[in-house]
């Protein structure tokens, strides 16, 4: 059962175990279910508000290769989290991307650490 550790610099970590029935769900969907206050807006990979930094549970790059939609790649470039050269490198070498969109990233069978921006208080 993969583990997701949600981390924010100002708050305690929140650790969840993803049950088999929840595989193939987005990180944002799980965060909402477990009351992790990840910032988000469109929930459709358009705005970049839900950007997260993803590593393995120990803070190292994840082991699984890139698995991003074209829309996610475009938004990550637009918001300055990934250059064209970085994108080409991770595609060619099938490397994981350290920046992802929580509304687009699907859980996989790997323990990960997710660093997130917090939702503003008035939402
Ligand atoms: Fe808009 Fe994820 S909430 S890209």
């Amino acid at each position: 059962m993969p583990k997701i550790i949600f981390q924010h610099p100002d708050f305690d970590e929140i650790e969840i175990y993803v049950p088999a029935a929840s595989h193939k769900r987005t990180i944002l969907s799980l965060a909402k279910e477990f009351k992790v206050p990840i910032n988000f807006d469109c929930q459709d990979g358009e705005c970049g508000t839900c950007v997260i930094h993803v590593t393995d549970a120990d803070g190292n790059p994840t082991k699984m290769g890139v698995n991003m939609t074209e829309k996610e790649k475009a938004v990550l470039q637009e918001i300055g989290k990934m250059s064209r050269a970085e994108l080409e490198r991770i595609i060619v070498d099938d490397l994981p991307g350290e920046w992802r969109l929580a509304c687009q990233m699907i859980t996989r069978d790997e323990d990960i650490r997710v660093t997130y921006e917090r939702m503003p208080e008035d939402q």
Side-chain angles (χ1 to χ4, degrees):
M1 192 181 306
K3 173 174 66 177
I4 302 176
I5 304 163
F6 289 99
Q7 174 181 315
H8 185 283
D10 299 333
F11 303 100
D12 292 337
E13 291 181 353
I14 299 170
E15 191 172 298
I16 68 169
Y17 289 87
V18 182
S22 292
H23 283 193
K24 308 292 185 198
R25 287 180 54 191
T26 66
I27 299 296
L28 181 60
S29 162
L30 288 163
K32 288 166 74 176
E33 179 179 335
F34 288 90
K35 311 280 188 243
V36 179
I38 287 182
N39 199 11
F40 66 90
D41 189 4
C42 72
Q43 302 184 67
D44 192 32
E46 302 281 350
C47 69
T49 304
C50 67
V51 68
I52 52 175
H53 187 257
V54 181
T55 64
D56 72 10
D58 298 321
N60 300 307
T62 60
K63 309 289 184 288
M64 294 192 166
V66 66
N67 186 17
M68 287 187 258
T69 64
E70 293 306 313
K71 186 163 49 174
E72 183 176 12
K73 293 171 190 170
V75 170
L76 288 170
Q77 287 181 81
E78 282 172 22
I79 64 173
K81 293 300 185 187
M82 184 181 298
S83 69
R84 185 82 190 135
E86 289 170 317
L87 178 59
E88 288 174 6
R89 184 178 58 83
I90 66 171
I91 291 171
V92 169
D93 296 336
D94 194 27
L95 299 171
E98 63 181 313
W99 294 100
R100 298 295 309 267
L101 297 177
C103 70
Q104 300 296 295
M105 182 176 175
I106 303 293
T107 59
R108 295 184 290 185
D109 193 18
E110 180 182 25
D111 294 349
I112 57 171
R113 177 175 296 272
V114 171
T115 305
Y116 65 95
E117 290 291 320
R118 187 168 191 262
M119 191 181 312
E121 292 294 333
D122 59 350
Q123 288 189 0

